[in-house]
Amino acid sequence: MQINRIPTVSLMSTADRNIQAAQQRLAAAQEKASSLKELTRPSDDPTAAAEAMAVRAQQRAADQHGRNINNANGWLSTADNALSEATSLMHQARDTVLAASNHGALNEQAREAYALQLKSIRDGLLSAANTQFAGRSVFAGTSDAPSTFSPQGEYQGVAGDTVQRNISPTTTIRVDADGEAAFGSGENSIFALLDTIAGQLRAGEPVSGHLEPLQERMDSILSVQAVVGANHATALRAQESLVSEKVALETRRSALEDADLASAALELQTQEVAYQAALASSARILQTSLMDYLR
């Protein structure tokens, strides 16, 4: 009977390869358990790595949209508050003109008091119309003018130009408001109208005929505020959707990149046992000498 003998060198080489392979698997398990990452380099899983990179790109885009939404909310909230203040002042102006309409029963002091009240309302409206957010006028479009309206009531914004914010991959909204549409400009502005009413009061002239123009200007302010409110509602809905999107993206990223602690610990223990077994079996095999084969 022929006996095939395996050379000791071959046994040693095989044992060495087995030990090195076990060491590599153990090192990989240790790295996974310490970092809790499924992917530490693209070569670990090229397909998963490519998908993870795509998810991270989506996350960066979502973060940018979140910053855009926050900025849009700041613009729109500021504009809405200014328009609400302007509406309140317009109510005061109308009430003042109504009270001063019976001009025949008013003496000079009363007419002057109403005129001063209208002047105060005009100043308040001018302040509201020149409202800024983060150093930018919310009613002036893209203009870099220091104020939306001059003290004389001239519009200094860029007519027809708007400030836009991209709040989702498919949605862009206007975040400023049309100051000229709301307050007018020059001789057609609410400021000129109030100046005219105050002047006529001081001259003892009737002012009841200005009630309709006041109402028209108030309607213009409310119309612009409605547009601002609609845009703000769109931004808030986008913000709610973005929260859900960010959660979904993070869940996808974690499933691709992050390792489960329990499974990582179990794998590490398994590889440690395998490595110790490889060492033990190699030690037993390599203990055999030439004399053992000659017996």
Side-chain angles (χ1 to χ4, degrees):
M1 182 180 67
Q2 183 179 2
I3 299 176
N4 294 324
R5 297 186 180 277
I6 301 175
T8 302
V9 173
S10 178
L11 288 175
M12 292 179 63
S13 177
T14 301
D16 182 58
R17 287 196 301 270
N18 290 338
I19 291 174
Q20 287 187 10
Q23 281 180 324
Q24 291 175 354
R25 291 192 296 271
L26 178 59
Q30 287 175 329
E31 184 177 7
K32 180 178 178 180
S34 61
S35 66
L36 289 180
K37 293 292 182 183
E38 287 284 356
L39 299 174
T40 56
R41 56 188 65 85
S43 58
D44 292 341
D45 188 339
T47 301
E51 186 176 352
M53 289 177 63
V55 171
R56 285 187 173 274
Q58 290 177 293
Q59 286 183 311
R60 289 192 295 272
D63 290 339
Q64 182 60 58
H65 288 143
R67 290 190 290 271
N68 291 349
I69 290 173
N70 289 335
N71 183 263
N73 284 335
W75 275 82
L76 293 166
S77 295
T78 302
D80 185 60
N81 290 337
L83 290 168
S84 294
E85 175 65 18
T87 301
S88 177
L89 290 169
M90 288 298 295
H91 281 294
Q92 295 178 33
R94 185 183 60 183
D95 292 343
T96 301
V97 173
L98 277 172
S101 293
N102 190 11
H103 68 284
L106 298 177
N107 56 31
E108 183 177 352
Q109 290 78 12
R111 292 196 300 271
E112 180 63 22
Y114 283 130
L116 289 174
Q117 189 171 350
L118 290 174
K119 172 64 167 57
S120 176
I121 292 172
R122 180 197 187 279
D123 292 342
L125 284 168
L126 185 62
S127 177
N130 286 328
T131 296
Q132 295 186 342
F133 173 75
R136 296 277 302 280
S137 297
V138 297
F139 295 110
T142 59
S143 172
D144 58 357
S147 61
T148 306
F149 290 89
S150 69
Q152 293 75 34
E154 293 290 342
Y155 183 65
Q156 301 180 126
V158 180
D161 208 354
T162 62
V163 180
Q164 306 279 338
R165 291 292 180 269
N166 189 332
I167 60 173
S168 80
T170 58
T171 306
T172 299
I173 62 171
R174 180 178 183 176
V175 299
D176 67 322
D178 191 337
E180 189 172 19
F183 302 100
S185 180
E187 295 180 357
N188 296 319
S189 69
I190 182 59
F191 315 110
L193 178 59
L194 291 176
D195 286 339
T196 298
I197 298 172
Q200 290 182 351
L201 274 173
R202 291 189 173 100
E205 299 175 4
V207 295
S208 58
H210 295 295
L211 287 171
E212 184 175 349
L214 277 174
Q215 184 61 49
E216 290 176 354
R217 185 49 59 192
M218 184 184 297
D219 291 343
S220 297
I221 293 173
L222 291 173
S223 178
V224 172
Q225 188 173 22
V227 174
V228 170
N231 289 338
H232 199 184
T234 300
L236 292 175
R237 286 194 299 270
Q239 191 171 44
E240 292 176 0
S241 299
L242 188 62
V243 171
S244 300
E245 181 185 352
K246 283 187 173 182
V247 171
L249 288 172
E250 179 58 22
T251 300
R252 286 177 58 194
R253 185 210 61 77
S254 180
L256 291 166
E257 295 184 355
D258 297 340
D260 179 70
L261 177 59
S263 60
L266 179 60
E267 183 178 355
L268 176 60
Q269 185 176 6
T270 300
Q271 296 303 330
E272 285 179 343
V273 171
Y275 177 61
Q276 294 299 330
L279 288 176
S281 61
S282 298
R284 293 182 60 185
I285 291 173
L286 296 178
Q287 285 177 355
T288 306
S289 67
L290 179 62
M291 295 301 298
D292 292 318
Y293 288 105
L294 295 176
R295 290 192 183 124

